[in-house]
Amino acid sequence: EPRRIGIIDALYVAEQFRKQGIGGRLIDTAIQTMRAADVVAVETIYDAWNEDSAQVWLQSGFAPWMVHAYRML
């Protein structure tokens, strides 16, 4: 049986609205919507250098799983 995997492709909160829990609430809403659609897991990609972004994802229960690396030429 195929597994349903949800993807949060992008999350952006305008600077003047950051640090108010909005990002976390947006993530929670997306997860609730996916649960209702029988999704079994959710994935996303965020910038590793952005500590604030990483904190929001970690607080929402996400954990690093793979490293996506690149090299400028």
Side-chain angles (χ1 to χ4, degrees):
E1 179 177 318
R3 297 183 326 151
R4 295 176 63 106
I5 307 294
I7 298 172
I8 299 177
D9 183 55
L11 176 70
Y12 183 82
V13 176
E15 191 168 347
Q16 67 267 30
F17 299 111
R18 294 179 189 166
K19 305 284 188 191
Q20 298 177 40
I22 295 170
R25 289 196 304 271
L26 289 169
I27 293 168
D28 290 344
T29 299
I31 290 171
Q32 289 172 6
T33 301
M34 291 181 208
R35 274 197 180 119
D38 296 322
V39 169
V40 298
V42 182
E43 68 178 57
T44 193
I45 297 172
Y46 58 87
D47 293 321
W49 53 264
N50 186 329
E51 293 178 16
D52 290 336
S53 178
Q55 182 179 2
V56 169
W57 290 107
L58 292 172
Q59 288 175 342
S60 293
F62 286 76
W65 179 52
M66 300 174 86
V67 174
H68 182 135
Y70 70 94
R71 175 181 165 180
M72 299 296 292
L73 301 179

